[in-house]
Amino acid sequence: MIRADGAGFRRVASKPGYCLGSPKWSSDGRRIVFYEITTEGTWGAHRPEWIGRVESQIVSIDVATGERVEHTTGPGLKLFPQFLSTQEIGCLIKGGPEEGLAYTSGRPAVKRALRSPNWSPDGKRVIYEKVGFQARPQNKSLYSWDKDWEYRHTDVFPGSRSAFTARRR
């Protein structure tokens, strides 16, 4: 955590062997919510064949006291948590049979294939990214600003849905 002026830098959460991501403040500024996933699990979170088998949890920390609360348990890749009120957190479950928006309050889930949800401050609306995974053909020519270089699309790098290769003409 750090103040807007760059002062007061301090760690508020860590867990050996885990990655903590997508932090968001509560509306009262007292808590920070985030997801926890094993470092090894981050690889599987990017692989289509592993997404439904990777597990993460939604956790929050009281900034003043360091009190830690685990808001979820069990299977599912839970990402992009956000406080919708002091009693409710929304998040994305990526992949698997429960894919979509989930809530810690018991509000019914919204099962849809979507990414990057962000709720309105009152928690009544959500905006998200809808991804159409249409792959470009392998080795398709890509535009180059430099006439001396030829760029082509490829999809052979681990953890990447799209990439490109470059070679001097």
Side-chain angles (χ1 to χ4, degrees):
M1 183 171 71
I2 191 169
R3 291 192 181 96
D5 65 2
F9 184 76
R10 71 179 175 102
R11 181 177 298 199
V12 293
S14 68
K15 186 174 181 180
Y18 281 75
C19 293
L20 287 57
S22 298
K24 291 268 188 158
W25 288 98
S26 61
S27 61
D28 62 8
R30 294 181 181 182
R31 299 192 75 80
I32 299 172
V33 68
F34 52 92
Y35 70 85
E36 283 184 343
I37 185 171
T38 63
T39 303
E40 183 178 334
T42 61
W43 183 86
H46 291 92
R47 299 298 310 155
E49 68 274 16
W50 277 87
I51 289 174
R53 295 185 276 175
V54 177
E55 183 177 302
S56 64
Q57 301 306 331
I58 303 301
V59 177
S60 71
I61 297 287
D62 182 297
V63 177
T65 67
E67 174 205 19
R68 172 188 162 88
V69 176
E70 293 185 14
H71 297 278
T72 62
T73 59
L77 180 55
K78 297 170 273 300
L79 305 168
F80 297 102
Q82 184 176 332
F83 280 102
L84 306 180
S85 71
T86 56
Q87 303 300 315
E88 182 179 40
I89 296 169
C91 69
L92 170 71
I93 297 180
K94 183 178 177 184
E98 302 301 315
E99 182 170 30
L101 303 176
Y103 302 92
T104 59
S105 64
R107 184 193 308 196
V110 177
K111 294 186 180 182
R112 301 277 189 287
L114 54 93
R115 298 290 182 263
S116 308
N118 194 355
W119 284 263
S120 61
D122 63 7
K124 293 180 181 177
R125 294 176 288 168
V126 64
I127 189 167
Y128 58 88
E129 174 186 3
K130 178 67 177 155
V131 180
F133 290 106
Q134 294 178 333
R136 294 178 186 207
Q138 189 75 343
N139 294 316
K140 179 179 180 174
S141 292
L142 298 173
Y143 181 78
S144 173
W145 290 99
D146 186 339
K147 64 179 173 54
D148 294 332
W149 286 89
E150 176 184 3
Y151 294 97
R152 294 196 173 266
H153 175 268
T154 186
D155 190 13
V156 296
F157 298 108
S160 174
R161 277 226 168 256
S162 91
F164 68 90
T165 58
R167 67 180 175 155
R168 193 172 283 280
R169 292 185 200 256

